[in-house]
Amino acid sequence: METLAIVGVGLIGGSFALAVRRAGFAGEILGVSSKRTIDAALAVGAISSGVTLEQAAECADVLYLAQPIDQILHTIEVLGPLARPECLITDAGSTKSLIAAKAAECIRSASFIGGHPMAGKEQRGVEHADADLFRGRPYVLTPTLHPNSNSDEFRLWLVKIGSRIIEMIPERHDRVVALTSHVPQLLSTTLAASLADAGDDAVTQVFGPGLIDMTRLALSAPEVWMSVLETNKLAVLEGLRIFQNELAATMVALESGDVNRLFTHAERFATKIRVN
Amino acid sequence: METLAIVGVGLIGGSFALAVRRAGFAGEILGVSSKRTIDAALAVGAISSGVTLEQAAECADVLYLAQPIDQILHTIEVLGPLARPECLITDAGSTKSLIAAKAAECIRSASFIGGHPMAGKEQRGVEHADADLFRGRPYVLTPTLHPNSNSDEFRLWLVKIGSRIIEMIPERHDRVVALTSHVPQLLSTTLAASLADAGDDAVTQVFGPGLIDMTRLALSAPEVWMSVLETNKLAVLEGLRIFQNELAATMVALESGDVNRLFTHAERFATKIRVN
């Protein structure tokens, strides 16, 4: 890979650019974004110049799509007939099935790998990009379409920037993130909405630090979540039904005064994900 | 108040002792706890000596019960016939209805105020006691039984240590904390248990920081929660039923692609409790 193009230079795209640069990438890094974002990305040194998507398709060895999901789907359609066979297209979208299907449909000879870096922070935008964002974090990759030397090299860069690569098919990824990310998001949002509707203003005063933890995700920007939920609707609904059943079991345990086993079971899982 | 006795010198009891001392209390602070805890409390300077409950009842002007709820109920029974009429008995238990009922039944002439400081931290024990634990935090008080000069003075000390006093009847307190504390606890525990049962080990790898927030309460010690849930069972079950209805509405909104309003509503509440 001699030329890398970041399409959508936000927190994730900008962090990937800074990370490969820090890890020794000496080639050019192009950015495709709005004028305002390109200026910000140049200012933090994430990219070396701003170009159009068509210019990026002409010369990039790797096209890294870090846009919202609906825009990634559109970009793949546009790149389909443009991308060179020796190029790799990869994305960082939070759901993978629809993106993989779109890539299989539109991308004729270039390589494609779906990706999902399990990394982020509360602040958005390239101003907050961080070369260490991916370090020690899982990076899910879905199976490679039309492998080539750039798709092989891309995996090496992920290792160099400190990611832990986890490979799985798109459908399994989407089922897992429904359970670990999309359901927790909706529980936090639903909890906050339910308290807003409680009809007793004391709920905004009489609470401890636990409520702050449990409503932090409810602060998430809706515009990010719309396309995530829309492109993973069936898996999320299934995850919520699983949670509903588990909640019904919790209520039965509570009624019979037998929540000890539930707490111990849950505590073991909560501890395990903190050790990993 | 010239002599204060802390019954149960843990994080809360020890922090209250350190806080009033820092705020200028010059009298004696007695501790009633196990030998090991008394030694630790003496070491951090929370108390001036360890005594039995009977000795504390003989000479304390304020008896501050900071034990687990089941032990508070037992202590009130024991203190009933022992407490002097000029004494105030107060407690720091997380549910209030049963404790208030027990006080009304057992305490003949001493004053009693139920209390619930909305403060805490992850570490337990007097070793982690902190004179600033109550500063800026709400401190719920339930109506005073047999007011006397020590119950008046106790309120002044709460203000001096930086608490924000909120007054309400026990039943309203218990309904509110069911919604803001006990339901969120059970959602976190249920979520962790549900992921432990997901049957795909990838859930322990493929997750972001949101799952860490949403499972933090699942790390809570079961022994603390057993008596909280047991003494507030009806309000907690009602709170969970309210959440179930709200979750069903979330699923309908998700199916029809209309979660934007829900997110906006929830975000407003989550922001509001962070400003207060």
Side-chain angles (χ1 to χ4, degrees):
Chain A
M1 145 169 120
E2 285 174 16
T3 302
L4 166 66
I6 308 288
V7 184
V9 195
L11 174 70
I12 296 292
S15 295
F16 182 74
L18 290 177
V20 293
R21 186 64 88 203
R22 159 102 68 88
F25 178 67
E28 202 169 2
I29 304 184
L30 309 174
V32 179
S33 266
S34 68
K35 170 83 173 74
R36 202 196 60 77
T37 299
I38 290 297
D39 290 343
L42 287 166
V44 300
I47 61 172
S48 34
S49 60
V51 296
T52 65
L53 183 60
E54 291 69 20
Q55 290 168 330
E58 270 172 38
C59 60
D61 300 306
V62 172
L63 285 148
Y64 189 96
L65 317 186
Q67 304 159 283
I69 295 172
D70 49 347
Q71 292 178 39
I72 290 173
L73 292 168
H74 177 71
T75 303
I76 289 173
E77 275 183 15
V78 175
L79 286 178
L82 297 179
R84 296 173 303 129
E86 56 274 31
C87 166
L88 165 71
I89 301 169
T90 186
D91 81 293
S94 319
T95 66
K96 299 270 59 83
S97 299
L98 282 185
I99 289 173
K102 179 67 80 179
E105 175 199 333
C106 300
I107 299 175
R108 286 174 228 157
S109 54
S111 183
F112 175 82
I113 299 178
H116 183 196
M118 306 304 297
K121 47 171 146 172
E122 277 176 49
Q123 305 94 332
R124 297 163 63 196
V126 71
E127 298 82 355
H128 301 285
D130 174 358
D132 284 322
L133 194 68
F134 304 94
R135 187 157 302 281
R137 300 294 312 157
Y139 198 116
V140 174
L141 293 181
T142 61
T144 310
L145 185 71
H146 319 136
N148 63 22
S149 66
N150 281 311
S151 59
D152 292 341
E153 203 185 329
F154 174 68
R155 292 165 173 272
L156 293 181
W157 283 110
L158 289 185
V159 174
K160 284 187 199 170
I161 66 174
S163 291
R164 293 190 288 119
I165 295 174
I166 300 180
E167 316 216 21
M168 58 181 73
I169 59 169
E171 292 71 24
R172 184 179 173 202
H173 167 273
D174 287 359
R175 194 184 81 91
V176 169
V177 293
L179 298 176
T180 65
S181 170
H182 310 171
V183 164
Q185 171 65 48
L186 289 172
L187 294 181
S188 181
T189 295
T190 301
L191 175 64
S194 140
L195 284 163
D197 296 339
D200 185 340
D201 199 49
V203 298
T204 66
Q205 301 285 339
V206 179
F207 62 85
L211 189 66
I212 295 294
D213 280 343
M214 292 297 286
T215 57
R216 188 163 299 120
L217 287 178
L219 296 168
S220 304
E223 55 273 23
V224 174
W225 276 95
M226 294 308 106
S227 63
V228 173
L229 296 173
E230 202 50 46
T231 57
N232 203 23
K233 199 182 273 192
L234 293 180
V236 176
L237 285 168
E238 176 59 19
L240 288 173
R241 277 189 288 268
I242 292 171
F243 182 85
Q244 282 183 314
N245 291 337
E246 199 89 20
L247 188 59
T250 294
M251 291 171 76
V252 170
L254 179 59
E255 281 190 87
S256 59
D258 179 32
V259 290
N260 200 46
R261 216 159 43 89
L262 173 73
F263 268 72
T264 308
H265 188 46
E267 194 264 342
R268 199 174 303 133
F269 179 83
T271 302
K272 186 173 180 185
I273 62 171
R274 284 161 168 80
V275 175
N276 280 343
Chain B
M1 148 168 116
E2 286 175 14
T3 302
L4 167 65
I6 309 287
V7 183
V9 196
L11 175 70
I12 296 293
S15 295
F16 182 74
L18 290 177
V20 293
R21 184 65 88 202
R22 159 101 69 87
F25 177 67
E28 201 170 3
I29 304 184
L30 309 174
V32 179
S33 265
S34 68
K35 171 82 174 72
R36 204 195 60 74
T37 299
I38 290 297
D39 290 343
L42 287 167
V44 301
I47 61 171
S48 34
S49 60
V51 295
T52 65
L53 184 59
E54 289 70 19
Q55 290 168 333
E58 270 172 40
C59 59
D61 300 306
V62 172
L63 285 149
Y64 190 96
L65 318 187
Q67 304 159 285
I69 295 171
D70 49 348
Q71 292 177 40
I72 291 174
L73 291 168
H74 177 70
T75 302
I76 289 174
E77 275 183 16
V78 174
L79 286 178
L82 295 180
R84 295 174 303 131
E86 56 273 31
C87 166
L88 166 70
I89 301 169
T90 186
D91 80 292
S94 319
T95 66
K96 298 269 61 82
S97 299
L98 282 186
I99 288 172
K102 177 67 79 178
E105 175 199 331
C106 301
I107 299 175
R108 285 175 228 157
S109 54
S111 183
F112 175 82
I113 299 178
H116 183 197
M118 306 305 296
K121 47 172 146 172
E122 278 177 49
Q123 305 95 332
R124 295 162 63 196
V126 71
E127 298 83 354
H128 301 286
D130 175 359
D132 284 322
L133 193 69
F134 304 95
R135 187 158 300 283
R137 301 294 311 156
Y139 198 115
V140 174
L141 293 182
T142 61
T144 310
L145 184 71
H146 318 137
N148 63 22
S149 66
N150 280 311
S151 61
D152 292 342
E153 202 185 329
F154 175 68
R155 290 164 175 273
L156 294 181
W157 282 110
L158 289 186
V159 173
K160 284 189 198 168
I161 66 174
S163 291
R164 293 192 287 119
I165 294 174
I166 299 180
E167 317 217 19
M168 57 182 74
I169 58 169
E171 293 69 25
R172 183 177 174 204
H173 167 274
D174 286 0
R175 195 184 80 91
V176 168
V177 293
L179 298 176
T180 64
S181 170
H182 310 171
V183 164
Q185 171 63 48
L186 288 172
L187 294 181
S188 181
T189 295
T190 302
L191 175 65
S194 140
L195 284 163
D197 296 338
D200 185 339
D201 199 51
V203 297
T204 65
Q205 303 283 338
V206 179
F207 63 85
L211 188 65
I212 296 295
D213 280 343
M214 292 296 285
T215 56
R216 188 163 298 119
L217 288 178
L219 295 169
S220 303
E223 56 275 23
V224 175
W225 276 94
M226 295 308 105
S227 63
V228 173
L229 296 173
E230 201 52 46
T231 56
N232 202 25
K233 200 183 273 193
L234 292 180
V236 176
L237 284 168
E238 177 58 19
L240 288 173
R241 276 189 288 268
I242 292 171
F243 182 85
Q244 282 182 315
N245 291 338
E246 198 90 21
L247 188 59
T250 294
M251 291 171 76
V252 170
L254 179 60
E255 281 190 89
S256 59
D258 179 31
V259 290
N260 201 44
R261 217 160 41 89
L262 172 73
F263 268 72
T264 309
H265 188 46
E267 194 263 343
R268 199 172 306 133
F269 179 83
T271 302
K272 186 173 181 187
I273 62 171
R274 284 162 170 79
V275 175
N276 281 343

